Every structure is written in structure tokens, then in C-alpha cells.
Amino acid sequence: MLLTLTTTHRPATDLGHLLVKHPDRVQSFDLPAGTAHVLYPEADKARCTAALLVEVDPLKLGGGRGRRQATTPDSFTLGQYVNDRPYAASSLLSSALAKVFRSALRGESRDRPELAAAPIPLEVRVPVLRCRGGAELAVRVFAPLGWTVAATPIPLDEAYPEWGDSRYVDLTLTGTLRLADALNHLYVLLPVLDDAKHYWVAPDEVDKLLRAGAGWLADHPERALITRRYLAHRRALAGEAMARLAELRLADEPPADDSVETEGSAEAPRASLAVRRREAVLAALRDSGASRVLDLGCGGGALLTALVADRRFTEVVGTDVSSQALALAARRLRLDRLPERQRDRIRLWQSALTYRDDRLRGYDAAVLMEVVEHLDPPRLPALEDAVFGHARPGTVVVTTPNVEYNVRYEGLGAGRFRHADHRFEWTRAEFAAWVDRVATAYGYTATIGGVGDEDPELGCPTQLAVLSRTDTDIRKEETTR
């Protein structure tokens, strides 16, 4: 089985430094089921190709004394020895990647650390890949990761085209990615497409999957299929992996606008948009003079952590409809380890924002940070009534994506939102109209701004509004209380 990895980064021979394999030598490595060879069919400043060739020994693959029998694509006994494993890319190739390119998979390079951290032009070719689900599935799993995918079905017999296609494809991936990301994509997805692991799947495979899938698997649209197949359809392991991925999604900010935008020069790395958004929300709360604050739809507790760190906020409440999100927020805040005085400042309540909740009344300020876009539009009036009409905090800070800015994100095609769970994303005019309508209906005044680098044509990536009740309204309510 064969995999080639090509770059046109100049000098292209830096690929040898990243892989820690010298282009002038052929190197061989023993594997449990055979031997892996690394060689360079071409290596000059303009173009460099590294080839990983894996020779499988069917006798080793079949299992020996004291070893577990291998899992093969076929269930009959001779399938251990008569199969496609020496010829078609599979989980065997994935295992070879892990052994031969271990440091590259981790993104480490002693000689070229800056290059290891940078996206470079790459082309990956796997000329024969067993793909259960066909070429269309190969596109579904690789394309969301930034690859341009060419998956050509291989005919059963070129002399007899009427026999149709085989179960194999000729796969070519092109894109500009970090080498470590590319290798981790292959490490996970080659066995997923093959769907026939050659070794016993133990519980530690969950950790391997999450480690290799860090930064991309939690938000992949095919994460359930990937998890199920990678873990050889073992239901308990797949369930554990999906639960841990769900926690990661709750803990992290939506990836599209967090990971792309940064601030500052190359010498001083720019803060992510997620950090800048939290700072903008905190600044608005400080300007309002609030001391008792609600974080509505708090998720995994990223903003709560910042609120608790600022002692001017004497009471901090996080609410979410998801009990799992609240449990994650509690772990993130380390509630079980905080001194009693600190712990008494914090409340975590399960509450749905589309229903009135008397516990939320009487607070100085509330935050809806990247929340409203997760609701179906017909449910927005219920949120407006529950927050602005019933809870009626003195100040409400709202942030939401600016859909006009999405064209600035590479890989975010027309009609796609920044997060898989978004039900809509507003233009600047649509957000301004919503804010004006809510302010007028519920007795608030509003100011609208943005967070992130401002594009002269498209505005900022994040929209921010601060809605404040009039002093008269607040005094009336305090007198009533």
C-alpha cells in the first residue's frame, strides 16, 4: 500500500525536516504486520514528495501464537491470509503513519519549528483506498477539513466496464494546511473509510481518537459516523467518545470565528476573537456599573470564569438549558475547590430562555453572548418576553455573528454559518432592526458596536449591542420592591 505527500513550499526539501526523514536516504521500519519504507521520488527546491510504502506480511497479519486474531474485511477463515490488506490503504497504513511520522503528527520539528506551525501547500495521494461508502463518502469526511477532494472510483476490471466499480477509490487531497493537521486527518479517516480495523480495539482507542481529532472532530458534520467506524462499531466506546466530544463543543467557542481572527503583529500574537468578545462584554458590564450579573446561555462557562475573576461582580449566575453544559461549567470554575466565600458568589441554574423564570428577576445586568442565533426565529419573541419583559435587568449585553463578514473566512462557503448549531445569522441591518424593535417594545435605549478588526465594507465579525433601561424605570421598580 502506498501514500505520497507532496509540497511546493519553497524550499520544498524542508519537508524532510518536518517529517524527520532525510530525502537522500531510504529508511525502513518494522511493523507488527510487515515493514514500512520512506523514500523520496522527487526532492528539489520547487517540489518535494515523500512516499510511505507499507509491505504487509499476510502471515504476521493472520496472527501468531499468543496474539489476537486480526480483524479483516472478510469473515471467512482464509480471509486472514487471502485479502486486500497488502494492496489497499487501510488502518494498517494509519498505524504506519503513527510509528514512522510520530513527531510530525505531534506538530514538532527541532529544525523547522516555525514551519511546523504554519500552513503549507500539500497534496496527498492514496492510489488504492478501500472506501466503504464510495467516493462520495471520501468527499464528505475530508472536504469539511479544508481539503479539495478528488476521489475516483476504480473499476472492477477495466476490460469489462459493465461490471461497474470496485470498493476502492484513487484519492487525491489538495490544500494548504499544517502538516500535523494533514497527518492527523489521515490517521483518523483512512481506517474510517476502510471500516475494517486490523487490530483489537481497546478502551484507550477513545483517547487516541480525541487526541488525533483535537481541533476538528468535535465540530465535524460526520463526527458520529467517524467515531462509530474508528471504534469498530463498539457501541460503548463510541458513546463515551461522543459524550466527550459534546463536552468539548460546549467548552469551546465556535471554531470559525475564534480560530481565524487574531490581533497584533507577528511579534505580538493577536488575541482570538473569542477573547476579544469576552473582553468587550466585560467592558460593557463595567461601564454599566453592574455588580449582580446573569450569563444567560452560559454553555461551558468561558465568560463565567472571567466574571468570577473580577471582584466587582459580587453575584454571578450562569444559566443554561443543558445540564451537561452546567456540569462542565462547574468543573471549569472548580466549584468544589473554591473557598466558601468565593463559592457563595456563584450560582448555576438550569433554565430555558424561552420561558419566564422568577429567579432571574432583579439583576443589574444580563449577557446573551453568542446565544440568540442558536434559537429558531419563531422562538425569539418568547426569549424577548422572558428576558426583556419578565427578568428586566438594568442592562442587557448581546453579541451575535455578522453574517456579512463570513466571506472573509477561508472555507466558509456561501450560505454556511459559523457553527453547525446556528439557526440563522444576521446582517448588520437585520441586527440593528431587531435591537431597535426590542428596545422600543420593552423600554430600553440601545447602542450598537462591533468586536474584532473592522472591514471597511463588511464591518466587524461580531456584532454587539448594549440595551439599558431608563433610570426612571429602574427607580420605579426599586420603589416597588
Side-chain angles (χ1 to χ4, degrees):
M1 63 183 73
L2 176 67
L3 179 148
T4 60
L5 184 63
T6 302
T7 186
T8 54
H9 163 82
R10 286 179 176 266
T13 47
D14 277 351
L15 182 62
H17 291 288
L18 297 181
L19 296 174
V20 199
K21 302 292 178 290
H22 200 288
D24 292 341
R25 295 201 302 268
V26 176
Q27 295 179 254
S28 299
F29 305 83
D30 289 332
L31 302 173
T35 307
H37 309 279
V38 178
L39 59 151
Y40 288 77
E42 56 181 343
D44 57 44
K45 292 182 178 181
R47 184 179 172 90
C48 185
T49 297
L52 176 62
L53 177 66
V54 179
E55 293 183 300
V56 174
D57 184 339
L59 294 179
K60 288 185 177 181
L61 182 63
R65 191 172 183 176
R67 295 183 58 203
R68 294 184 183 274
Q69 288 190 339
T71 301
T72 69
D74 305 295
S75 57
F76 65 98
T77 303
L78 283 178
Q80 296 180 32
Y81 306 99
V82 183
N83 55 59
D84 62 358
R85 302 295 84 179
Y87 316 107
S90 65
S91 54
L92 290 166
L93 184 57
S94 178
S95 296
L97 283 170
K99 179 168 185 177
V100 175
F101 300 136
R102 184 173 302 172
S103 60
L105 272 160
R106 293 197 297 258
E108 299 172 355
S109 175
R110 183 181 60 185
D111 299 318
R112 299 290 188 275
E114 301 86 1
L115 186 60
I120 61 174
L122 294 170
E123 178 181 291
V124 177
R125 174 130 187 258
V126 184
V128 183
L129 169 63
R130 185 177 188 268
C131 189
R132 183 167 173 258
E136 184 266 339
L137 182 59
V139 175
R140 280 165 46 199
V141 297
F142 278 108
L145 302 175
W147 293 104
T148 299
V149 184
T152 306
I154 298 174
L156 277 171
D157 192 320
E158 292 181 354
Y160 300 94
E162 65 273 14
W163 289 3
D165 295 328
S166 68
R167 66 182 68 175
Y168 308 98
V169 299
D170 181 346
L171 179 70
T172 301
L173 308 172
T174 55
T176 302
L177 296 89
R178 287 195 320 138
L179 178 64
D181 293 335
L183 293 175
N184 279 289
H185 296 165
L186 293 166
Y187 175 78
V188 172
L189 297 178
L190 291 180
V192 165
L193 294 175
D194 177 35
D195 200 23
K197 279 216 164 184
H198 71 280
Y199 54 85
W200 180 256
V201 176
D204 65 350
E205 289 296 309
V206 175
D207 293 328
K208 293 179 184 178
L209 172 62
L210 298 184
R211 186 164 54 246
W216 61 270
L217 181 56
D219 286 286
H220 196 293
E222 298 292 343
R223 60 186 171 277
L225 177 143
I226 292 169
T227 300
R228 186 170 62 251
R229 286 193 174 194
Y230 182 89
L231 296 170
H233 300 272
R234 292 189 60 183
R235 184 174 299 177
L237 296 183
E240 178 189 346
M242 288 299 291
R244 290 171 63 180
L245 287 171
E247 286 193 356
L248 290 172
R249 296 185 76 204
L250 290 169
D252 295 337
E253 297 293 330
D257 55 357
D258 285 358
S259 59
V260 175
E261 174 137 350
T262 53
E263 182 177 40
S265 64
E267 292 75 16
R270 295 182 293 177
S272 72
L273 184 57
V275 171
R276 299 169 73 180
R277 184 188 302 123
R278 286 195 291 271
E279 290 175 347
V281 169
L282 290 169
L285 292 173
R286 292 169 186 142
D287 290 345
S288 74
S291 58
R292 303 174 66 239
V293 179
L294 301 166
D295 183 5
L296 304 176
C298 64
L303 179 62
L304 288 176
T305 304
L307 289 168
V308 171
D310 191 330
R311 292 187 176 275
R312 79 185 69 202
F313 303 118
T314 58
E315 185 178 349
V316 176
V317 176
T319 76
D320 204 282
V321 71
S322 167
S323 59
Q324 188 177 34
L326 294 173
L328 184 59
R331 289 200 296 272
R332 190 171 198 162
L333 290 164
R334 299 183 178 181
L335 286 183
D336 57 338
R337 304 181 190 177
L338 289 178
E340 185 176 353
R341 178 181 294 182
Q342 279 284 79
R343 194 165 56 245
D344 288 345
R345 294 172 57 214
I346 308 167
R347 306 281 187 274
L348 296 177
W349 294 334
Q350 188 170 16
S351 182
L353 293 179
T354 52
Y355 294 90
R356 293 186 170 197
D357 187 335
D358 289 340
R359 295 175 298 174
L360 306 183
R361 293 176 62 86
Y363 282 84
D364 300 328
V367 178
L368 292 165
M369 188 174 77
E370 308 299 287
V371 169
V372 294
E373 65 273 9
H374 290 270
L375 272 68
D376 291 312
R379 301 296 293 160
L380 282 177
L383 175 143
E384 295 160 12
D385 174 71
V387 175
F388 297 94
H390 187 70
R392 290 191 64 72
T395 299
V396 182
V397 183
V398 183
T399 75
T400 192
N402 169 17
V403 72
E404 297 169 77
Y405 196 92
N406 286 1
V407 296
R408 293 291 183 254
Y409 294 125
E410 185 177 352
L412 200 59
R416 289 185 58 195
F417 295 149
R418 298 187 199 177
H419 194 279
D421 191 51
H422 286 186
R423 301 301 195 264
F424 64 88
E425 289 179 2
W426 276 321
T427 64
R428 287 170 291 172
E430 289 169 335
F431 181 59
W434 179 79
V435 170
D436 181 68
R437 180 177 61 77
V438 169
T440 301
Y442 294 99
Y444 284 77
T445 59
T447 59
I448 295 177
V451 182
D453 294 337
E454 184 172 6
D455 185 286
E457 298 178 0
L458 305 173
C460 296
T462 292
Q463 306 188 78
L464 181 145
V466 179
L467 296 94
S468 304
R469 288 171 56 192
T470 66
D471 290 342
T472 302
D473 285 342
I474 294 174
R475 282 197 299 270
K476 284 180 180 178
E477 183 170 298
E478 289 175 345
T479 302
T480 302
R481 290 206 304 268

